[in-house]
Each structure stands twice: as C-alpha cells, then as structure tokens.
Amino acid sequence: MKIGNTAIKATLMATVIFWFVLFTEEYSDSMFFWIIPSIIPIFLCCLLAIIFTVCPFFWFSEDSLGNSGIFKRYFPYYAIAVFCVCAFAIWKFNCEVFAIGFFSSAFFTLMQTWVWNSKNDANENL
Amino acid sequence: MKHTFNIIGAALFSTLFYKQDLGLNLSLFSLLTILILAINRKDAFSNRVVIIKSLAYLVTGIAVFFYKSNLAITANVVSFFILVGSISEHKASIYVNWLNGCYTTIAAFFHRCYEQFHRKEDTGTKRKIDYIHWLKIIGIPMVVLIIFISLYKNGNPMFNDLISQIDFSFINLQWLLFGLLGYYLLNNISAPIAVYPITALDLSTENTLHKVKEVTAKKLDGEKQLGVVLMSLLNTLITFFLITDVVYVIQQDNLNAMELSNQVHSGVNALIASIVFAIVIILYFFRANLNFYKGNAILKRLTYLWIALNVLLVVVIAFKNYQYIHSFGITYKRIGVNIYLLLTSIGLLTTLIKVYSIKNLWYLLRVNIQTAFVVLIVASLFNWDRVITHYNLNYAKAADMEYLIGLSNNNTFLLKSYSDNNGFNSGDMNKINDKYYDYLRVLSDNSWQEMQYDNITIKE
C-alpha cells in the first residue's frame, strides 16, 4: 500500500470538496488565499484518517485475500460506518456549512481511498 | 438515457428538498425513486415481492403527506432501504435486503468504480482516463485565472468596475450542490448491488433443520429427560402464576391508576423474561438431533403447552392494558404495550411452527423481522394522535388534557372542534386555541413542497 501517494491524492480531493462546499455558502476573493495554507492540515487529517481507519484492514487481513478481496469483504461495512459517523457529526454541528464541508470531504475521500488501494493492488500485479 | 433520467431526477430532488421541511416532497420522492428503479431495473419489477415492497414504500410516502408523523417518516426510510436492497437480490432475507439497500444508497458509486476497473482489466479493454491531465488542463488555469483577476481588480479601477458588473447571483451554488447529492443518490440506487459474502451466505442458508451427525441414543435420551423435567416445572410455575394473576384481576374491581400501571408494567417485564427464556430453552433443546429423535413426543407436547401458556399470559396482560386504557385513556406507551404483545404472540406462534416443522434459527429470525417490518408499515398508516385524542375524549373515563394538547399538530382540528362543541375549562380552551392558530400559521407558511393533507382541509 502506497500511503504517501494515496495521502497526496486524498488531500487534493478533500481540498477541492471542502473549499467547493465553503464557496457555495459565501464567496469572497480573500478566501482563495487560504486554499494553499489549508492543504497542510487537510493533508494531516487525510494521512491520519488513512493510517488509522483504512490501512489496518490491509495490514491485518489474511494475505490470501489480496486488496481486491479485502475491498469486497470489508468496504461495505466500513462505508456504512463512516457514513453514520459523518452524518451524526454533521447533525451534531447543526448542519453548519463548515461541518458539512469537513465531514462530506472526509466521507468521499475515504471512499475513494479504498478504490485507489484496490487499484494499486491490481496495478502491482500487472 | 440512464444519466438523463438521473439528471432530471437530481434537479427534482433539489427542487423538492433544498431548504424544505418534509411533507408532499417525501411522497413525490417515493414515486420518483420507484420510477428510477423501474426504468433502470425493469426485470426486477416482474417479481411479486419487489412490487409489494414498492407499494409499501409508496404507501408510507403517502402517509407522510397525510400525517407527517415520525413513525411514518421512519417507516418510509426503512422501506426505502429494503426496496433498494430487494432489487439487488429479492430472494435474500429482509435484514440482508436492508443492509444491501444501505450499502447501495451510501456507496454503490465507489463499488462500481472498483468493479469497472477490474472488469476492464479482465477483458483487456482498459481505456485509461488521465484524470490528472484533465485536472491540470481545467483546474490549474481556472485557479490561476481567478487569482490574477482578484489581483488585477485592485490594480485598475476600470477593470474592477467591469468585473464587478458580472453578476452570477442568479446561480444558487448550494442548490446545485444539493442537486449533485441527489444525482449521487439516484445514480447509486439506479443499479443496486449486493454485499459480499453475506448475501451469498444468506441465499445458501435454508430454513429447515438437517440432521447434523450421529449422536448416541443414550445422550439424546438424557437430553430429552432434562427437557421434560424442566418444561414440566416451568409449565407448573407459569400455570400457578396465571391462576393467581387472573384471580387478582377478578377480585380487584376498581384499581387506581398507580396500581393498574404497576400491574401492566410488571406484567410486561415478566412477559419479556418469560418469552426470552421460553424461546432460548426451546431453541436449546430443539437445536439439532433431538428434533429427529423418535421419543421426543412428550417434550414436544410440553413445549406446545409452554407456548400456549405464554400466549395466555399475553392475553391476561392485554386485558389489564385494556382496563388501564378504558379507565385512563390511550397513550403512546399503552399503544406500545399492545404492539409489543402482538409481536410477542407472533413470535410464540413462529416458535411453535419452528418446533412443529423442524425449522432452524434463521427461520425464526427471518419471519420475525419480516413481521416486525409489516407491523411498522401498518402502524405508520394510522394517525395515532387523532386516534388517541378521539378515544380519550369520547370513551375514556378520564382524559389528561395536558397530554392531549402536548401531542403533535395531527390532533389540532379534532381538539378545536371538540372544544368548540363541548367546551373545556378556560385554561385548556386557551391552550387549544393557541395550538390551533399556531398550526394554521405553520400550514399557511408551508411551501408546495412542504404541503400536507391539512393544507387542503383548511382551504375547503
């Protein structure tokens, strides 16, 4: 599993979703200057989320399953659990735009991370 | 074609739900969901089970328009997941349908991304789209352009004026984002998927119990003897409990509210323990080869008697609950007790079938969860606030007005007409009038998406 590579792609995706959601609420030119600095905390969040919630499935599963088998077996339950956590958090923060941006970007990015990982496995086998 | 329908559906989704409360929109969305599913999976709709589940989903959607109760909304959401799941695999159990429905709704898009990639890889027709390249071509120039525009605006007042005149305020980005969410949802449900390996496991699991392996007759006889002794003792105990309970109920003509409340609640607690024990004990003894043992007739008869006595216990508690309701009116908790008693009776009946027809644990789980789903759908079709208010005002010996006024707006018109015709004390009259006028204000503020049946009634 290429954690660094996946984390960079995830950061790019999360940044786009997060800022897009924020721009829909209120747009000002000054917000653009915050995009670049925001990449650092977003990268840290992505890296930690991937290491602590996605990687353990790939590290501690049976080797015979392969990334593709791990995806089929665990992804459905992971997706439902992450959705519940994110939906609960958004509701807990009274559906504030910042919370919607943060948790929706977390949800979609983590889902895509699983797809990238299963693709990595296939590419490595080529 | 599929994408066109999904895009139209997404626009409708945004129109129906963006910054709106629930009402007519949920009913229309139920219809839209069924349409999208029928367009994309015509084959699935030739199945009777799928048609019944679609009707159940539609009916709960209509119930939301009529009553907008939390129960109707819950039933609508649950039946949505079950319908979507049953399209992915209609032969699966209802709880697997629910899981498949949840997974499809939440993450089918990503599952399909993964599947498409592997399918292309297998067939060797992989046409790789270079997303990074497209992102570079579109994204980077856009970001750089916007940064430079904002810089130039500060450098030249004429340029600033020109740029400021460009007005994109007619575009509601949040509405579009909501539409995108709608597209994601509709795209997900347009091709429902099944969770692996639980669906395959469920399909391969039968309802009937099979002889597992040879066990000595001596061991089975010993188990049977234990069962007979235990069941005999339990039957004696429950008979004694029932006799004392019935005698107590007959002797007490006028129990006060507190006593009746204690009676019903302790009865329900006893029932919960009794039923759980009954089912666990029955499942233990009839878990395997004792079902096929020739000398099990006495144990089976004692088990049927145990189930029948538990049903009698349900009847006694139902009678106490009826007395309680007759004296002090219906409340949600008392309706809950009745629903629990109904589910318990069905649970006992299915346990009896399990023993009689030699079924396994999965049979019990499947049938009982399916029954609970049917009860949920049927219960969501009633305007319980109106039922409670009507009964308590007309038939109960005493009505708790605070409780009735505190219920949702579904009983407002009934309370108002009753208070106009029969009158209450001034305090209650004022509260009912406040509730009535507040509700009229809520109804008049409703947009067409939030419309309820009461909007039509007030116009008439």
Side-chain angles (χ1 to χ4, degrees), chain A residues 25-36:
Chain A
E25 171 72 356
E26 192 188 348
Y27 171 80
S28 73
D29 296 342
S30 61
M31 284 167 83
F32 267 99
F33 296 105
W34 288 102
I35 295 177
I36 306 290

Side-chain angles (χ1 to χ4, degrees), chain B residues 16 19-25 65 68 442-443 445-453 455:
Chain B
L16 288 174
K19 287 194 173 170
Q20 303 293 336
D21 202 353
L22 295 179
L24 179 67
N25 49 10
F65 170 68
K68 204 187 158 184
V442 169
L443 288 175
D445 288 345
N446 275 351
S447 61
W448 71 265
Q449 293 97 325
E450 296 166 327
M451 207 165 89
Q452 287 172 253
Y453 177 69
N455 278 102

Side-chain angles (χ1 to χ4, degrees), chain A residues 12 20-21 24-25 27 29 32 68 71-72 75-77 79-80 83 107-108 111-112 115 118-119 122-123, chain B residues 99 102-103 106-107 110-111 113-114 117-118 121 126 135 146-147 150 153 173-174 177 184 195-196 198:
Chain A
L12 199 67
F20 183 67
V21 173
T24 60
E25 171 72 356
Y27 171 80
D29 296 342
F32 267 99
S68 173
F71 181 93
K72 275 187 172 179
F75 178 69
Y77 310 104
I80 293 170
F83 177 81
F107 171 75
F108 288 112
M111 297 299 106
Q112 186 58 35
V115 179
S118 83
K119 283 182 181 178
N123 289 333
Chain B
L99 182 75
C102 281
Y103 179 49
I106 290 168
F110 295 98
H111 187 99
C113 279
Y114 153 84
F117 176 79
H118 285 270
E121 196 179 62
K126 194 174 155 186
L135 196 76
I146 291 168
I147 291 171
S150 56
K153 269 169 74 178
L173 278 175
Q174 280 190 340
L177 198 66
Y184 176 74
V195 175
Y196 169 87
I198 195 167

